[in-house]
Structures are given as structure tokens and as C-alpha cells.
Amino acid sequence: MRKILIILIIITLLISIVVGCTGENSNIVNTDDQSPLTMYVNEYDGSMIYHIENYNKEIEFGNIEGLPIEVIEYTYEDSEIIFNEISNNFLINQGPDLIYIDYLFSNYMDINKVAEQHIFYDLENMVKKSEIFQNNELNNKVLDAGIINDNRCFIPISYKVPYFISTTKNIENMYNKQIDYLQFEDIYKVIETINSNSYLIPDLFSLYQYQFIDLTNDESYIKDIEIFKEFFEYYKIEYNKVLKSMESLGGDLFKYLCDETYMFMGSDGLSCNCGDFHIIYWLYEEIKLCGLEPVLLNMPTDDNVINLHIDKAVAINNNSNKKEAAFKFIEYMLSETVQVNEIESIAIPVNNNAYKIRKQNFLDNSYDEPYKEPIDEKFAQKFLDMIESAEPIPMQHSIYYIMQNVITPIDDFLNGKISIDEAILQIESRMKLYLSE
Amino acid sequence: MKNKRRTHIKAYLLILPFMAGFTLFYFAPYVLSLGLSFTQGVGNRAFVGLNNYILLFQSEAFILASKNTLIFTFTAIPLMLIISLLLALYLNEKLRKIELYRSIFIMPLVLPTASIILFWQIMFEDNGITNFILNTIGLNEVQFLNSNYAMLVVVLIYIWKYMGYSIVLFMSGLNSINREYYENAEIDGATKIMSFRKITLPLLKPATFLVIILSFINSLRIFREVYLLSGSYPHESIYMLQHFMNNNFKKLNYARLTSASTLLSIIIIGIIVFLYMRQRKADVN
């Protein structure tokens, strides 16, 4: 009996080693499979769905050679289930051909960890053979944000540059003079200004997460603990002021609320999370119509570098056997025709020609429905300078994932359950676990 | 001879459905995950031999998780054995409404986990009942879920949840002991403690072994409660092996996950085989 048991164990081990050795090789780039490509897209992402529908039409009319895309739509509420499903599919060498990286993806998956598992196909060879990439038609600085561990894992399609917009009157009140550049210490006044009419931008918090986290330092994962403490203690005060105001005022607190731009409007202070020509023009016009003079300022950062945030990106599943066809879609999304379409995108295009066209429209107010107030040249140029000098945030998606899923003690601190020192201890402990797992 | 063969064939046919299900849903996935533990990467899977196991022992998170799991196992199981045995002895004294008490102790096993967690949160969160009582009697509040006391809470939850099952098993074991032994011992002048040591404990060994094995298996299931209570990254004192594996699953690090689970399975099988062999030896003696 014992001998049989030992033989069984040895056979099991041998089978398992053989199974391990014969893991599927994902070097297959293309096959004769003509079935549609698959891609998961949130049902509220009308922009991406619109572009995919257009792409499918182009293929149908024979204008583009490639495979149509089957969109698998999911609701926001089902996100967790969908991403678990996608994870399971990756494990069994399946999953969507095209991997759409938006804020939801970053919420549920740490891009860097996904990249470490070679789930993203290294697009470098395809990029080298692609005309649109080799003809300098694209913003290489932004594209390089898709390189992880020397592999070109994903291609950014659009990006945003956050800024702070206010009025000269407000700046005068804050600083007793006009300024045109905000330092990191000025963030306190920024929060206070936004809060002056009991309005708060919740996403200001997620904007500033990148300033605080350092994934490379084993001693402490928080870049500067004193600044971290100071910022969040101040933020907590303002946060609670808003909660109290919301309790007392109730009802319709905000004049304007735009989910996509996280913008709140007060009579004296405004701020905006994302950068796009239309949105900033609209804000500029609204301030002018109120009889005030708009001022554009950078969102202050600790290293005084203006950050750009990758808004949307696309990757190809390493397990896909239709990689070439999938890459055609990426080329399509980066084409001038698609990227210049301002109606369907409120982010900044990666295509240089599209950017030039949209920039010129912005400067000339040459839209189908022009704005009432032509934009001030100095104001417009400042915005363009900010976009053009912005740098991608290193490990943006990892940090976003970590803030959403690992560093939740900060919420306990904001809700008064723990002190900032306890929150910091918990954050450091969790970060250590997360990075050493 | 022919009849014996026929009987054997019938027996194998009867257990065939179970064996098919076991092979399909347990053994085959186990073998596959064992194979995965020797590879790295999900796309472009590469054979890396024992590298995953070596990296596992270099992972601080794994070391911490293993340490916490050991502490929990060797604290919770003995405590639960003692408490459930004592309660079983008490309930075995032919109390009135014994079925009611039995049902009360079994109840935690059948209640939904989410409901149980709600209760424990109310008990032990920062503004919970326990802190309220501590404040009332002039003591400082304790962060039960975010301090080293978290282990105490987890042990408490474990005992509360699985104690009833152990009590029932012990009671069944106690009922199988012939009363005559106690009567004879009493006649010979043995005290209650002597009877317990010389009669009850030795004859309760089969039930005790079963309780230990089941308690050990159940100790690994406590992850559900801990996860609902404290999330994926709880306080470091209750960060267990299951957290480690669950988090690696979320990160798609299947190599790390499968190597940790293989290691854990080897340890569990080893312990159960050891206990089984001890039990057989005790039976023979």
C-alpha cells in the first residue's frame, strides 16, 4: 500500500511538472481566425463605444483592413465581477483581445503587477513597423508612459493635465497680489478657496496622492511624512466643514456638477481636475460672463513639475491570436481623424496633428458653435505651455490602485476614527505587505 | 472468491461517482496548480523550477502570514478544545432542555457569515459596545481591530463559531463511554478528577482526534470572517496565509499563489497523516 502511495505521488509530481513546462507559448501574433476582437468597455464610456462603432463601420465598408470589435459592455455596479472574470480568463490563457485601460481598470488591477505577469503583449516590434509611430505623428513623451520594465505594455490614447482656475479677485484676496505660479505649500490656500463657499472637490485628494507615495523607498513609502501630516490634517478640517455645510444646507448644493471634470463652481473660486480645450474655454467664458477676470494656474506639485495623467490607453492581450488585427485598432484610435474629434473626447490627443488642429481651434475660437468670449491670448498660451511642459507621472496606475485599495486608513482618519499618526503607521504597514507579497 | 470480487466491483462502482467528482473538481485542479507553481508569468509562461518557492521564503509578507497562521492555529485550537470539552462535560450531566442548549451552540455555524461579522463589528469597532463598557468603567478605549488585540478578536470569533460543532462531537464521544466504568471506579474510591483522567480522556481519544482534525481545517476557514471584518490588508497581527494568497490572486501572481497553496497543502496533509497515524497507534494500544 505504501509503495502504491509513493508511486502515485511521484506520478502526480511528474504530471504537474510536465503541465508546468508545457505552458502556452504566447508568441502567436496572428492566425487565420476571423472572429471579432473582444474588448470590455464600461457602458457609460460613450466616447470609446462611439469610436468602436465607427471603426466597425469602416471595416464593413472596406476602408480599413482588420477585424471588427465586439464590445462587451458592463455596468459600473458589475465592475468587480467583470474584472474578476477577466482575471480568471487571463489565468486560462484567454481574456479580451484588446485591454482597455481606463480609471476603472486602474481601480481593480495594478497595471504594474499585470505587466509583471506578461499579460500585456510587448508592442515595441509592432510600433517599430508602424508608419504612424515612425513618422513622428505622435507625442512620444506621452507614449513612453506605456513602457513598463522595458516592455511597451500599453499605448496611451489621450491624456489630461490638471489645472487650477480662479479669478484675479480671488487671487488678490488670497495673496494680496497677483501670482502666476502655485507652489506646493499653496495647496492649503487652494483648498480654502474652493471651500470658501462650502464647495469641495473630492477628487483633489486623488489628484494629490501622487505627491505622497514613493514606491521605491523601503524606509518609508510616504515621501515626506511631515508634509503628508500637514496636508491631511488641513484637508480633514476643510473636509469636515463641507460635511457640516452639506448637513445644514442640504438640497441642491452645487450650481454645476460635471462628473467627468469634477468641477464645482463657486462665486469666487473654481478648480478643475482635467485638461481639455473645450472645458477650459467653457470655464473661461463662464467666469467672464460673471463679470470676473479668469486666472489660470498650475495644480501645485511637490517637485514643481506639471503632471500629465494618462486618461485612456489600450493594450493587447498576450494570449490573443489576433494581435496584428488588434494593433490596427490602436493605430485607428491614434489617427488624426479620430483624435481630432472634439465632441467625443474631452481629453488631449496624443496625435500631434490632431493636437495642432485642436490647439488652433482653441486659439481662433473656430468651433461650429463659437464661444461668446474670445479667449485671452496670454491665458490660452499659458494653458498650452502647461500641456506641452507636463510630464507623465511615474507608475501612475499603480499608485492609483494602491490609493483605492491599500491605503484606506486615510479614510478612517478623515472620518475621525484614528489619528494621523495611526493612519501613517497603518499605511506604512499595508504598503510593506503589499509590496512584499 | 467470485463473490468477493463481485462485492469489490460493486463497491468500486458505488464510489465511482464520488471519485469522478473528486478527481475533476479537486485532484485535477490541485495537480494543475502544482504544475503552475513551477512556472512564472501568466502570458508567456516559463518553467522556473523551484524559484517560486525560494522567492516565497524571501517574501516578508509570506513569513509574517505563516507566523500569524501558526500563532492563531496553536492558540485557537487548544483553547477551543478545552472550552468545548468542558462545556460538553457540563451538558452531558443530563440537564433539562439539553436539545435547546445544543441548538444554541450549533447556531453560529448556520448563521450567514455577513450577519455574524455585523455583530462582531458592533462589539469591537472603535465606537463599539466593548469600548463603551471600557469607557464606562474608566478604562481607555482599545483599537481592537487595528492593534495586536485583533488576534484576540479573531480567536474569539473562531471559538464562538466552531465550538458548538466540537461540543456535539465530544458529547457523542462521552455518550459512547460505558457508564459502568464510572460506577466501578466510584466503587473503587476514585475521585471525579481521577475518573476524568483515567477513563474519560483515554476513551475520548477518537472523538478528540476528530475534533482536532476538524478544528484544524476550520481554522483555515476563518479567513472569511477576517476578510469581511478587516479587508485585504488587515492589521499585521492578523495577516494570514489566506490573505497572502487572496491578494496574490488579485495581483494575478498565480505562481506565488500556487506555490504558497502547495506548501500549505503539504503541511496540512502532513499534519493530518501524523494525527491519523497517532490515532491508529492509540487504537492498537
Side-chain angles (χ1 to χ4, degrees):
Chain A
M1 183 64 187
R2 202 174 284 180
K3 271 186 193 165
I4 295 171
L5 204 61
I6 291 167
I7 291 167
L8 263 172
I9 289 169
I10 291 169
I11 291 170
T12 306
L13 274 171
L14 285 170
I15 292 171
S16 60
I17 289 168
V18 166
V19 162
C21 289
T22 53
E24 281 194 36
N25 193 334
S26 305
N27 285 335
I28 300 165
V29 174
N30 220 28
T31 62
D32 295 330
D33 187 354
Q34 295 295 305
S35 59
L37 301 166
T38 50
M39 185 163 157
Y40 284 82
V41 180
N42 183 264
E43 65 174 11
Y44 289 119
D45 195 335
S47 166
M48 182 51 83
I49 292 172
Y50 169 83
H51 287 306
I52 291 172
E53 281 171 0
N54 281 350
Y55 180 74
N56 289 343
K57 277 182 194 156
E58 293 290 320
I59 288 177
E60 198 186 326
F61 296 144
N63 297 333
I64 296 176
E65 266 187 47
L67 295 172
I69 297 172
E70 183 192 330
V71 172
I72 304 164
E73 287 185 34
Y74 62 92
T75 62
Y76 183 79
E77 291 74 26
D78 288 340
S79 302
E80 193 170 351
I81 299 168
I82 290 295
F83 282 102
N84 279 339
E85 183 185 305
I86 294 174
S87 302
N88 291 338
N89 286 339
F90 285 149
L91 177 61
I92 55 171
N93 297 322
Q94 289 179 14
D97 297 289
L98 286 156
I99 301 170
Y100 180 40
I101 298 169
D102 59 353
Y103 78 97
L104 273 175
F105 191 98
S106 303
N107 220 9
Y108 288 102
M109 293 203 189
D110 182 340
I111 303 281
N112 278 54
K113 299 290 177 189
V114 174
E116 275 173 24
Q117 299 307 316
H118 302 291
I119 285 168
F120 299 132
Y121 178 65
D122 184 2
L123 295 163
E124 190 60 33
N125 285 339
M126 285 186 166
V127 160
K128 279 181 181 158
K129 291 178 199 165
S130 167
E131 270 183 38
I132 195 172
F133 283 89
Q134 296 309 311
N135 290 347
N136 282 327
E137 288 180 48
L138 304 170
N139 187 331
N140 288 323
K141 183 174 62 175
V142 176
L143 288 181
D144 286 349
I147 296 177
I148 302 173
N149 298 334
D150 299 327
N151 289 331
R152 193 174 288 275
C153 293
F154 60 85
I155 304 287
I157 290 174
S158 59
Y159 62 101
K160 294 180 177 178
V161 175
Y163 50 80
F164 178 61
I165 187 166
S166 187
T167 62
T168 48
K169 178 183 164 191
N170 202 36
I171 297 295
E172 194 69 45
N173 288 341
M174 278 161 62
Y175 296 99
N176 296 322
K177 62 176 180 181
Q178 290 303 315
I179 58 167
D180 57 9
Y181 191 86
L182 290 174
Q183 306 286 341
F184 186 73
E185 297 72 39
D186 295 322
I187 188 60
Y188 308 113
K189 283 209 172 111
V190 167
I191 296 174
E192 204 179 305
T193 305
I194 297 163
N195 252 356
S196 61
N197 290 306
S198 303
Y199 300 143
L200 179 70
I201 294 184
D203 216 45
L204 191 67
F205 172 42
S206 70
L207 249 191
Y208 276 87
Q209 59 191 286
Y210 305 106
Q211 314 304 320
F212 299 117
I213 304 301
D214 184 351
L215 294 176
T216 57
N217 185 355
D218 288 341
E219 302 276 321
S220 170
Y221 301 104
I222 295 174
K223 275 185 199 168
D224 189 318
I225 289 183
E226 289 311 314
I227 290 181
F228 185 89
K229 275 165 93 163
E230 202 179 323
F231 176 83
F232 281 104
E233 272 169 352
Y234 187 84
Y235 190 87
K236 183 183 171 184
I237 295 168
E238 298 300 316
Y239 179 82
N240 284 314
K241 271 189 205 169
V242 169
L243 291 180
K244 278 198 180 134
S245 304
M246 283 169 89
E247 274 169 24
S248 61
L249 291 170
D252 185 17
L253 181 66
F254 306 110
K255 269 189 196 174
Y256 297 97
L257 174 63
C258 177
D259 282 342
E260 289 181 70
T261 63
Y262 305 104
M263 178 191 71
F264 299 83
M265 220 163 165
S267 62
D268 291 321
L270 305 164
S271 179
C272 191
N273 184 16
C274 82
D276 168 71
F277 299 105
H278 263 298
I279 301 293
I280 200 157
Y281 214 134
W282 175 50
L283 287 168
Y284 178 87
E285 189 183 67
E286 290 293 320
I287 295 170
K288 285 292 240 188
L289 291 174
C290 291
L292 298 164
E293 199 55 43
V295 167
L296 180 67
L297 293 163
N298 57 305
M299 267 299 187
T301 58
D302 65 334
D303 53 3
N304 295 326
V305 169
I306 294 171
N307 288 328
L308 68 88
H309 296 227
I310 302 297
D311 178 45
K312 291 174 185 175
V314 181
I316 297 176
N317 187 347
N318 217 348
N319 292 315
S320 170
N321 57 4
K322 293 173 264 183
K323 294 184 177 79
E324 278 183 7
F327 191 72
K328 286 213 185 323
F329 175 70
I330 294 177
E331 286 177 324
Y332 171 79
M333 288 302 294
L334 293 169
S335 63
E336 186 185 314
T337 332
V338 170
Q339 294 243 319
V340 86
N341 188 330
E342 294 176 274
I343 296 164
E344 291 306 319
S345 170
I346 56 161
I348 302 166
V350 173
N351 184 298
N352 291 331
N353 290 336
Y355 173 74
K356 278 182 197 150
I357 292 169
R358 284 172 68 174
K359 172 176 153 181
Q360 209 51 53
N361 288 345
F362 173 66
L363 290 168
D364 299 340
N365 193 12
S366 53
Y367 297 110
D368 290 340
E369 291 179 22
Y371 290 93
K372 294 180 190 118
E373 288 281 343
I375 201 160
D376 174 64
E377 205 180 303
K378 204 175 155 196
F379 184 97
Q381 192 54 51
K382 187 157 187 194
F383 182 53
L384 294 170
D385 289 343
M386 279 170 60
I387 293 173
E388 286 158 20
S389 64
E391 293 288 333
I393 299 166
M395 299 180 82
Q396 167 193 326
H397 296 98
S398 274
I399 292 174
Y400 187 79
Y401 176 84
I402 287 166
M403 290 302 290
Q404 297 295 320
N405 296 283
V406 181
I407 310 185
T408 49
I410 204 68
D411 294 328
D412 289 340
F413 162 70
L414 289 174
N415 292 327
K417 288 182 184 174
I418 54 176
S419 69
I420 189 66
D421 290 317
E422 280 161 355
I424 286 170
L425 277 172
Q426 286 180 32
I427 286 169
E428 295 277 22
S429 159
R430 284 171 170 226
M431 282 297 297
K432 202 172 171 185
L433 282 174
Y434 177 77
L435 293 170
S436 66
E437 272 176 340
Chain B
M1 195 67 180
K2 230 179 173 178
N3 273 340
K4 204 178 175 184
R5 193 181 281 177
R6 262 199 213 144
T7 312
H8 281 160
I9 291 169
K10 271 187 202 166
Y12 283 126
L13 282 172
L14 283 170
I15 65 168
L16 191 62
F18 165 77
M19 289 307 294
F22 178 79
T23 306
L24 196 60
F25 298 112
Y26 286 93
F27 188 69
Y30 179 77
V31 166
L32 287 171
S33 73
L34 187 58
L36 276 177
S37 71
F38 297 116
T39 67
Q40 183 63 43
V42 174
N44 273 347
R45 203 171 288 158
F47 178 74
V48 293
L50 293 173
N51 197 42
N52 289 330
Y53 292 93
I54 295 168
L55 288 173
L56 203 60
F57 285 104
Q58 293 172 355
S59 162
E60 282 182 31
F62 179 74
I63 305 290
L64 176 69
S66 305
K67 185 188 104 185
N68 287 339
T69 306
L70 275 171
I71 291 172
F72 171 74
T73 307
F74 286 104
T75 310
I77 293 177
L79 268 175
M80 201 195 53
L81 275 175
I82 295 167
I83 294 170
S84 49
L85 179 57
L86 289 172
L87 280 169
L89 286 167
Y90 178 71
L91 291 172
N92 206 39
E93 294 298 315
K94 306 287 183 218
L95 290 175
R96 286 170 64 188
K97 294 188 183 171
I98 185 77
E99 288 78 20
L100 175 66
Y101 290 114
R102 214 180 276 155
S103 303
I104 289 170
F105 283 116
I106 286 289
M107 196 73 77
L109 269 175
V110 302
L111 288 172
T113 307
S115 313
I116 293 171
I117 290 308
L118 210 58
F119 165 72
W120 289 106
Q121 273 177 338
I122 293 169
M123 286 294 292
F124 287 109
E125 65 183 3
D126 296 340
N127 302 324
I129 294 173
T130 314
N131 274 330
F132 174 76
I133 294 170
L134 289 173
N135 271 336
T136 313
I137 59 174
L139 293 172
N140 286 333
E141 278 182 10
V142 175
Q143 277 213 313
F144 284 104
L145 300 176
N146 277 311
S147 67
N148 290 332
Y149 286 105
M151 179 59 85
L152 183 70
V153 173
V154 174
V155 169
L156 205 57
I157 294 173
Y158 171 78
I159 292 173
W160 176 82
K161 183 161 182 182
Y162 295 107
M163 183 174 64
Y165 197 53
S166 306
I167 291 172
V168 167
L169 289 171
F170 274 133
M171 283 181 71
S172 145
L174 287 168
N175 284 334
S176 69
I177 299 174
N178 197 331
R179 288 273 142 204
E180 280 183 19
Y181 294 139
Y182 294 106
E183 285 163 10
N184 290 339
E186 208 180 327
I187 291 165
D188 291 340
T191 60
K192 280 209 165 168
I193 291 173
M194 280 172 77
S195 297
F196 177 75
R197 273 182 54 223
K198 301 290 183 185
I199 300 170
T200 311
L201 276 182
L203 291 175
L204 212 50
K205 266 186 189 161
T208 307
F209 276 117
L210 184 60
V211 168
I212 290 174
I213 289 170
L214 289 172
S215 302
F216 181 65
I217 292 167
N218 287 331
S219 72
L220 300 170
R221 288 190 185 161
I222 201 66
F223 167 73
R224 255 185 321 190
E225 283 79 6
V226 179
Y227 179 79
L228 286 172
L229 212 51
S230 307
S232 297
Y233 292 94
H235 185 265
E236 55 182 24
S237 64
I238 53 171
Y239 178 80
M240 312 264 207
L241 276 171
Q242 293 91 332
H243 286 102
F244 177 83
M245 291 190 284
N246 196 54
N247 292 341
N248 274 298
F249 176 77
K250 284 185 182 176
K251 287 181 195 172
L252 309 183
N253 195 345
Y254 301 121
R256 190 65 65 93
L257 161 65
T258 50
S259 49
S261 61
T262 303
L263 215 57
L264 185 63
S265 70
I266 291 169
I267 293 168
I268 292 169
I269 291 168
I271 290 174
I272 290 174
V273 165
F274 170 74
L275 288 171
Y276 179 67
M277 283 167 70
R278 286 287 301 230
Q279 159 72 351
R280 277 189 71 179
K281 204 175 169 188
D283 277 347
V284 165
N285 287 344

